[in-house]
Structures are given as structure tokens and as C-alpha cells.
Amino acid sequence: MAVEINQKKGMNKMKFTFMPEHFEWQYSDGSNSGSVNISYTAVPTESSTKTERNRWLMNIGILWVCLAMFARGYQLITGTNLGVTPFGVFGAALALWAYYRTVTFSVFDLGNGSLYVLHDKNHDKILSEIRWRRNEILRDRYLNGVEDVAGSAEEKQDILRWLASEGVISEQERDERMALQRQTESPKFH
């Protein structure tokens, strides 16, 4: 059964549909939209953070403040009365609102694109779901039957070291499995 989690903040809308081997990421930001199927194992453990502000609204607010200052300067120089103009106050409020109303994302580099996850109440839930499913796939692929994998003992230990570095298994589990592997290896006689 597929699990769905939705995110929305401002014009940004995202939908994550989690399936057994991959998840579907649907996104829309007002100017772009799309849908991508992503394998859990393609998502790296490291991410960066991106913060967006509405630059257009901020620029409009600054423009209004500049127009109000120009009007006041013109009034002082020419001695004409332009009346009370609220453009400066509204412009300052608009610029401040646009500056402090930010949208923050966790960004994962997938090699051929990026995965964005909004920082909202579902952020941690989405990341833990991706990590949990990723770890289950890697455990099933590499750990279950690592003893049966063809290759040297060193190659098998490299797999265990890699799984520990990826957070799939703990350091303690890695050490226990490596010790068990050394015990089960038979001595070679020439």
C-alpha cells in the first residue's frame, strides 16, 4: 500500500507517494511542475539547505519606499503640498514581510537533478520514511546473504564497512558480523 505525504507553503506544493522500491515526487512552485520516480537508494544521506524569499514583492516594497522618499524630497524642494501618502509605510511593510517570509528546503543532489523537501511539519516524517525504506532495501540487498556473496573476505568486510558508514547498520553490528565472519572462515592449507 502506498503512503502519501503532502506539503504546501506559499506557491510551493509537493506530494510524496512512497511505494516499495521507489517513491514518486510531484512538485509545483507556480512556474514549474513535474513528477519524478526516485529510487530510495539514489537519495544521499547528506543534504544542503536552500532558503527562498519573494524578491519581486521585496523589490516592489523598496520601490514604494523610494517613491515616497522622492515625493517628500520634491515636496521639501518645491514647497508644494502632496498630501499624506501611505506608500512609504506600505512599501516598508511589504518589503519587511517579503524578507521575513521565507521558504526553506532540504536539497538532496541526485546527480541528474535535485530533490527538494520543504521545511514544515512533515519534513522529518518524509526524511525518516525515505531513510527507513532506503536502509531496508540496502539491508536486503547487501546484508541478507553477505556470507553467500562471491568474493574475498576483505570484499565482504568492505560491504559491512560501507553499510555502517551509510548508517544502515551500527558500528557494533558491523563489528559483530565481521567477527562472526572471521570465525566461520575455515583456515586455508596449502
Side-chain angles (χ1 to χ4, degrees), residues 67-83:
L67 287 174
M69 289 171 46
F70 175 76
R72 290 296 158 222
Y74 179 78
Q75 184 177 352
L76 287 173
I77 292 172
T78 63
T80 60
N81 186 3
L82 299 176

Side-chain angles (χ1 to χ4, degrees), residues 25-76:
W25 176 51
Q26 297 175 359
Y27 60 92
S28 172
D29 66 1
S31 61
N32 297 312
S33 64
S35 177
V36 179
N37 288 329
I38 301 171
S39 170
Y40 297 109
T41 57
V43 180
T45 55
E46 300 294 322
S47 67
S48 60
T49 302
K50 179 179 181 183
T51 302
E52 290 183 352
R53 291 183 173 88
N54 192 332
R55 297 274 183 212
W56 185 82
L57 279 180
M58 193 181 309
N59 290 340
I60 293 298
I62 292 170
L63 176 66
W64 284 0
V65 169
C66 291
L67 287 174
M69 289 171 46
F70 175 76
R72 290 296 158 222
Y74 179 78
Q75 184 177 352
L76 287 173

Side-chain angles (χ1 to χ4, degrees), residues 94-189:
L94 186 63
L96 288 172
W97 181 77
Y99 180 79
Y100 286 108
R101 182 172 164 86
T102 60
V103 179
T104 305
F105 302 93
S106 289
V107 182
F108 295 88
D109 182 17
L110 303 177
N112 58 350
S114 296
L115 169 67
Y116 290 78
V117 181
L118 276 168
H119 280 241
D120 68 353
K121 63 181 180 173
N122 291 323
H123 176 266
D124 293 340
K125 185 177 180 181
I126 290 168
L127 294 186
S128 65
E129 186 74 20
I130 291 171
R131 285 186 188 113
W132 177 76
R133 289 178 184 252
R134 176 182 181 274
N135 288 350
E136 289 300 309
I137 289 171
L138 291 176
R139 283 181 82 81
D140 188 50
R141 188 177 295 164
Y142 294 105
L143 201 54
N144 299 338
V146 74
E147 296 81 15
D148 301 330
V149 174
S152 69
E154 187 60 34
E155 289 172 339
K156 293 175 185 178
Q157 289 181 359
D158 286 343
I159 291 172
L160 292 171
R161 284 187 200 97
W162 177 74
L163 289 173
S165 71
E166 290 292 312
V168 177
I169 61 173
S170 66
E171 300 287 328
Q172 180 182 356
E173 184 179 356
R174 179 203 63 197
D175 294 341
E176 290 171 359
R177 286 184 177 265
M178 288 173 83
L180 180 64
Q181 180 184 1
R182 282 191 289 270
Q183 287 176 356
T184 59
E185 287 179 359
S186 60
K188 297 180 181 179
F189 297 102

Side-chain angles (χ1 to χ4, degrees), residues 11-24:
M11 297 291 290
N12 297 291
K13 297 176 189 170
M14 297 183 189
K15 179 179 177 183
F16 293 83
T17 306
F18 297 101
M19 292 171 244
E21 293 293 320
H22 68 280
F23 64 96
E24 181 182 18

